[in-house]
């Protein structure tokens, strides 16, 4: 069954009243969800869905496994130890190039929210070209933070091999790597970036926390965090997939209307990295990055494809059908149910 046919599948599911409204009919209640850096604001919708109790309301028992970066979450999915992933849309394109179909079923982030910054301890670095020969900290090699740097290097006449990438994670370990002077630059997300900015440890070079910054970096809109699964999982479990998408669309609607204090009340204290006020500021910086409705755009998919082709030979040489990398069918049905 091709992705285009998922609209029909979702329509059948809706007709039988599945999803959050009738969760006991899902094919698979117990799910393993992989994520790479759950406390990052990039994945805030996931934590909110969990903490607001929306998974349980939908009749789903979701076990969340947090890995050091998105590449490791993808490995868990491919290896069969995860059913679904909240991760970067980029991976759906890359995996199609490897003839391993992965489909994104809900858009969580419409701007990446990634910041590339120089570390002041390493000296003055003000441009991409000055990164040559430097050590760059990313959440994990092969993750979206790595991809951003790869693209910027390529756009400036360099190669990813011209720098050394070091996985530093997306929390206290990333902050520590900067403060210890272990890296010369960092590509990471909030709240890590906001903490390092407040402490005066870094100087941003490229910032995709805003629409302007995203357009300046990628040349177009750029889908960030998504909910994705293998095509076979979606085909075998359309009702479960719909229930999951219902949860995330409901969460995005809540987030779109929420005030900063509402969000802070839901989150666990350890997310604040010891400074709730700074976290609140980081959230306010990042709030525009979240999708208000979960819908994908063709323009966003094309922008991601263009970026990946620039530095990934496998993507550049493959014939990619972007319509197979995402579907809005489940999101549209979720909106009908959640009116």
């Amino acid at each position: 069954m091709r992705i285009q046919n998922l609209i029909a599948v979702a329509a059948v599911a809706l007709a039988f009243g599945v999803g959050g409204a009738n969760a006991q009919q899902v094919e698979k209640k117990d799910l393993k969800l992989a994520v790479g850096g759950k406390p990052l604001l990039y994945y805030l919708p996931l934590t909110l869905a969990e903490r607001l109790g929306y998974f349980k309301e939908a009749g789903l028992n979701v076990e969340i496994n947090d890995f050091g970066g998105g590449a490791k979450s993808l490995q868990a999915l491919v290896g069969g130890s995860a059913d679904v992933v909240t991760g970067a849309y980029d991976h759906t394109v890359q995996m199609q190039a490897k003839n391993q179909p992965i489909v994104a079923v809900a858009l969580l982030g419409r701007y990446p929210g990634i910041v590339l910054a120089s570390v002041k301890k390493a000296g003055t670095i003000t441009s991409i070209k000055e990164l040559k020969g430097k050590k760059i900290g990313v959440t994990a090699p092969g993750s979206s933070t790595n991809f951003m740097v790869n693209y910027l290097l390529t756009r400036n006449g360099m190669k990813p091999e011209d720098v050394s990438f070091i996985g530093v994670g997306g929390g206290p370990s990333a902050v520590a790597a900067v403060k210890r002077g272990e890296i010369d630059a960092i590509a990471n997300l909030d709240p890590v970036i906001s903490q390092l900015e407040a402490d005066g440890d870094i100087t941003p070079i490229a910032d995709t926390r805003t629409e302007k910054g995203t357009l300046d970096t990628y040349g177009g809109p750029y889908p960030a965090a998504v909910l994705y699964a293998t095509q076979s999982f979606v085909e075998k479990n359309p009702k479960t997939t719909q229930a999951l998408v219902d949860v995330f669309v409901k969460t995005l609607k809540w987030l779109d209307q929420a005030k900063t204090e509402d969000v802070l009340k839901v989150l666990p204290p350890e997310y604040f990295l010891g400074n709730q006020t700074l976290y609140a500021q980081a959230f306010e910086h990042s709030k525009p990055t979240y999708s208000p409705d979960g819908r994908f755009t063709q323009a966003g998919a094309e922008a991601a494809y263009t970026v990946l082709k620039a530095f990934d030979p496998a993507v550049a040489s493959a014939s990619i059908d972007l319509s197979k990398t995402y579907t809005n069918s489940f999101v549209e049905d979720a909106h009908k149910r959640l009116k």
Side-chain angles (χ1 to χ4, degrees):
M1 186 191 304
R2 296 188 177 276
I3 295 303
Q4 298 94 306
N5 294 334
L6 290 175
I7 294 176
V9 173
V12 171
L14 180 62
F16 282 92
V18 301
N22 205 354
Q24 72 273 14
Q25 294 185 19
V26 299
E27 302 90 352
K28 187 176 177 65
K29 290 184 178 181
D30 298 320
L31 297 166
K32 291 184 178 180
L33 186 152
V35 60
K38 185 167 174 268
L40 290 169
L41 280 160
Y42 190 82
Y43 294 118
L44 179 63
L46 171 62
T47 296
L48 291 177
E50 175 191 32
R51 304 280 293 189
L52 290 168
Y54 290 166
F55 288 125
K56 290 183 179 179
E57 284 181 14
L60 300 172
N61 299 316
V62 178
E63 177 187 330
I64 300 173
N65 295 313
D66 193 5
F67 296 89
K72 295 180 181 179
S73 298
L74 175 62
Q75 290 170 5
L77 184 76
V78 173
S81 60
D83 299 301
V84 293
V85 173
T86 49
Y89 169 75
D90 299 335
H91 290 140
T92 70
V93 179
Q94 285 190 314
M95 295 307 289
Q96 188 177 135
K98 298 178 181 179
N99 294 314
Q100 295 183 332
I102 303 292
V103 57
V105 294
L107 177 70
L108 309 184
R110 56 181 174 176
Y111 312 137
I114 303 168
V115 176
L116 170 63
S118 62
V119 175
K120 291 183 180 179
K121 276 189 177 181
T124 303
I125 300 174
T126 59
S127 69
I128 301 299
K129 290 185 178 180
E130 292 173 10
L131 292 173
K132 188 169 184 177
K134 302 297 185 181
K135 294 179 289 186
I136 304 178
V138 294
T139 53
S143 297
S144 56
T145 50
N146 195 163
F147 295 161
M148 175 189 180
V149 181
N150 284 351
Y151 178 64
L152 290 173
L153 292 171
T154 303
R155 211 174 72 178
N156 283 271
M158 299 165 66
K159 299 178 180 179
E161 295 77 20
D162 289 333
V163 304
S164 297
F165 289 106
I166 300 174
V168 297
S173 59
V175 174
V178 169
K179 292 187 177 293
R180 289 196 295 258
E182 296 173 354
I183 52 180
D184 303 302
I186 185 169
N188 218 290
L189 304 108
D190 275 331
V192 169
I193 291 297
S194 286
Q195 168 143 12
L196 292 171
E197 283 183 303
D199 292 346
D201 293 320
I202 60 172
T203 302
I205 299 172
D207 188 339
T208 65
R209 289 177 292 186
T210 64
E211 181 179 19
K212 182 182 183 303
T214 298
L215 295 176
D216 288 346
T217 300
Y218 295 111
Y222 204 96
V226 301
L227 174 68
Y228 68 70
T230 63
Q231 183 175 325
S232 61
F233 177 89
V234 175
E235 291 171 358
K236 293 175 184 176
N237 304 281
K239 299 174 184 178
T240 304
T241 303
Q242 185 66 64
L244 282 167
V245 173
D246 285 357
V247 165
F248 280 105
V249 169
K250 184 176 180 179
T251 302
L252 292 172
K253 284 175 170 284
W254 183 92
L255 179 57
D256 190 47
Q257 299 298 318
K259 296 179 180 179
T260 301
E261 53 266 32
D262 298 327
V263 173
L264 296 179
K265 288 177 183 176
V266 174
L267 299 179
E270 58 266 27
Y271 275 36
F272 304 146
L273 298 178
N275 191 328
Q276 183 171 318
T277 300
L278 183 60
Y279 185 93
Q281 294 171 356
F283 165 70
E284 288 167 2
H285 289 156
S286 296
K287 190 172 183 182
T289 68
Y290 304 114
S291 170
D293 54 27
R295 293 183 174 97
F296 296 93
T297 67
Q298 181 67 15
E302 289 173 355
Y305 185 28
T306 298
V307 167
L308 290 168
K309 282 194 296 184
F311 66 83
D312 189 329
V315 174
S317 62
S319 177
I320 304 292
D321 182 351
L322 291 175
S323 69
K324 296 179 182 178
T325 64
Y326 71 92
T327 175
N328 279 319
S329 60
F330 293 101
V331 169
E332 295 299 344
D333 282 345
H335 280 284
K336 292 176 186 176
R337 207 173 356 266
L338 296 171
K339 279 184 179 179

